[in-house]
Amino acid sequence: MQALLALIPALPLAGFLILALFGGRLGRRGVSIVGVGSVGASALVAILAAIGFLTAPPAGGALTQRLWTWWSVGGLAPGIAFTLDPLAIVFTLVVTVVGFLIHLYSIEYLAGDDGYARFFACMNLFVSSMLILVLADNLPLLYLGWEGVGLCSYLLIGFWYRDPANGRAARKAFLVTRIGDTAMAIGLFLLFRHLGTLQIAEVMNRATTAWPVGAPLATAAALLLLGGAIGKSAQLPLQTWLPDAMAGPTPVSALIHAATMVTAGVYLIARTHALFLLSPAAMTVVALVGALTLLLAGCSALVQTDIKRVLAYSTISQIGYMFLALGVGAWSAAILHFMTHAFFKALLFLGAGAVILALHHEQEIARMGGLRRSLPVVFWTFLIGGASLAALPLVTSGFYSKDAILWAAWNAPHGGRVLWAAGLAGALLTALYTFRLIFRVFFGEERTTVTHRPTWVIALPLVVLAGLATIGGFVETPHTLGGVTLFSRFLQGTFGVAGGHAEAVGAGHGAELALQILAAIVSLGGVWLAYRLFLRRPETLARWRGARAGAALRRFWLGGWGFDELYDRVLVRPFEWTARVSRGDFIDSFYTGLARTLGGLHGALAATQNGRVRFYVAGIAIGAILAIAIMVFT
């Protein structure tokens, strides 16, 4: 089993290399086999490794495979080494299985695209980078995977690069996430300076031994790592890149939102949880960032008109739930929501892609409607994913993961009631914007003619993900509904404590049941309100939009609460002004003069290439005479 670890990221990496070097010669069938097959083989190896881990747990709770030393400088000698523990197993299985389904779906979605081989090459590298990140034994290797997913997101968001808007969206994602990446890099320097190692397990052990709870260095390190997590996971205040990232093909959106990039921040905090436990202040910041993000993004999702942007803001909001859980120490609840979210958000994005493809790449929900009759498989699977996102009680996986977060927030020692109220309000917003989308797209009159109906290549991933979105949450149920704790007990090997509902103590089963009933009422109330506003009585909403205050609020939410405009005024325009002013300074003059001198010399040499053979022969003769003269007289 130990020898299998390196194969998990190596297989999609090999697929990337084959496609990058020979993709143009393989043909579409060959590209599909390599692109999809490499990720499928990685998923199979990951499943076998997980089964082996479960049937024969290694001593110490983790399995490590070290291949070679990466470098050795100044006492730092990180290796190319991979570690498998319960947390890594969950992330690895989600990345490979969901990634495989997205790759399979892409065969039909990207059929006929000129960049078919380039697309699968980048997607394979994306999956490989994420697997390196979650399996890394040390922080430098984790950072390599971290930067790898950032690079791949840039390449895939700007995949259709001939449209300048797509290039701008790709650059925006790359630059905004660099802010968080810089903070994370500084955090790694700090950890090595004071702890003398960047081996993840050793860093956590030494930090716990060297720093007391509340130590300033622990808080500084945790907040710097949090900066990296905020950037990658698109949380306040670095969330602005993710809605624009919808410029990429829909399978890219599904991969970014469900299985790879935006969940990297959640993984980083969970992996370094021992460090965050040393800083109550950092934990509070994590919870507050999550609570604010889930509310602000939920409001913005309510007014978006592009089907993919609705789901993008939904992802920001749901990652906020995960940060909220991490901030109150509900580690297993956060990872459970990561898993269920991966299932239903991948399903929703792929369903949205099927709708977009069916309507000849139409993305405006105002031009959709009545598609439940034309696209029944897409409708029913999308409805299942939407129900899970909205956390409809008892029958969806999202209910159990979100309930675990709300219950943990209620029992948080500091500010728990406020955090719980924010989570409950977010549940109402989630149900409202989710079923607004469902009612607008699949009900009412059909506004655009369906030109393409999905084949089994698209339908199969939708059906599989619909099944996972339904049953995925049953691995962890509250005490009031059976008390299944398989997931939290499994993650004890990483977090050292029982997970999920067992993390919250002291409130009693009666209070838990009451809060569950209230959360269920709120979710169902959101569905009913969406029905009344967007399907039954749309004129009520039209009157509100017509009002001056309503129109202004809608524009504010539609623009993402003005963050882009704020950053443009405070950062982008001053930077551009500084660049214009300094364009002609003396430093530039030196380099400009050097460039002009070299250009003049190039022109003089180019003038000697006049195409006259006699001129060339004369030049050779003169050169020979000069060479002989030098030899004779010197």
Side-chain angles (χ1 to χ4, degrees), residues 276-552:
F276 279 84
L277 285 173
L278 295 174
S279 176
M283 293 282 286
T284 301
V285 173
V286 173
L288 288 176
V289 166
L292 290 173
T293 303
L294 72 90
L295 291 175
L296 268 64
C299 291
S300 290
L302 270 175
V303 297
Q304 299 302 312
T305 60
D306 184 303
I307 186 172
K308 289 174 65 176
R309 288 181 72 90
V310 174
L311 297 177
Y313 277 106
S314 169
T315 296
I316 298 173
S317 181
Q318 297 308 303
I319 299 291
Y321 271 106
M322 299 176 208
F323 270 62
L324 172 59
L326 293 169
V328 299
W331 315 111
S332 298
I335 303 308
L336 178 63
H337 197 57
F338 151 76
M339 183 181 72
T340 60
H341 175 263
F343 297 150
F344 61 69
K345 188 52 62 68
L347 170 60
L348 289 171
F349 265 109
L350 297 186
V355 170
I356 293 168
L357 197 61
L359 302 183
H360 197 62
H361 297 282
E362 178 60 65
Q363 295 186 199
E364 287 294 317
I365 59 176
R367 300 189 182 97
M368 300 176 185
L371 295 178
R372 71 183 189 278
R373 293 179 292 272
S374 303
L375 304 171
V377 174
V378 177
F379 165 66
W380 286 109
T381 53
F382 198 95
L383 180 62
I384 291 171
S388 189
L389 171 59
L392 296 192
L394 302 181
V395 296
T396 64
S397 63
F399 169 76
Y400 295 101
S401 59
K402 195 169 291 184
D403 175 73
I405 295 173
L406 292 175
W407 178 236
W410 177 268
N411 287 278
H414 304 291
R417 301 299 187 267
V418 175
L419 296 174
W420 170 83
L424 192 67
L428 176 64
L429 289 171
T430 303
L432 188 56
Y433 69 66
T434 300
F435 276 85
R436 166 188 177 257
L437 183 62
I438 291 173
F439 292 141
R440 293 288 298 274
V441 172
F442 294 100
F443 289 81
E445 297 181 359
E446 188 171 315
R447 297 179 179 87
T448 303
T449 304
V450 172
T451 59
H452 178 275
R453 284 178 171 77
T455 66
W456 71 269
V457 178
I458 284 180
L460 180 61
L462 295 179
V463 172
V464 173
L465 288 169
L468 293 173
T470 302
I471 66 173
F474 292 111
V475 294
E476 187 77 20
T477 62
H479 295 108
T480 53
L481 296 172
V484 177
T485 57
L486 292 175
F487 195 76
S488 57
R489 284 191 284 114
F490 174 64
L491 288 177
Q492 276 185 278
T494 296
F495 300 119
V497 294
H501 297 268
E503 290 170 343
V505 294
H509 291 181
E512 185 177 9
L513 179 60
L515 294 177
Q516 287 165 1
I517 293 173
L518 179 58
I521 291 172
V522 167
S523 294
L524 293 173
V527 176
W528 177 83
L529 190 59
Y531 171 76
R532 296 284 295 180
L533 290 177
F534 302 109
L535 193 62
R536 188 70 176 175
R537 297 284 181 86
E539 64 276 6
T540 304
L541 192 64
R543 285 197 299 270
W544 178 82
R545 286 179 179 174
R548 186 173 181 179

Side-chain angles (χ1 to χ4, degrees), residues 4 8 11 38-51 93 96-97:
L4 297 178
I8 298 174
L11 287 168
S38 60
V39 179
S42 179
L44 180 60
V45 173
I47 292 170
L48 293 175
I51 293 173
L93 289 177
T96 54
V97 173

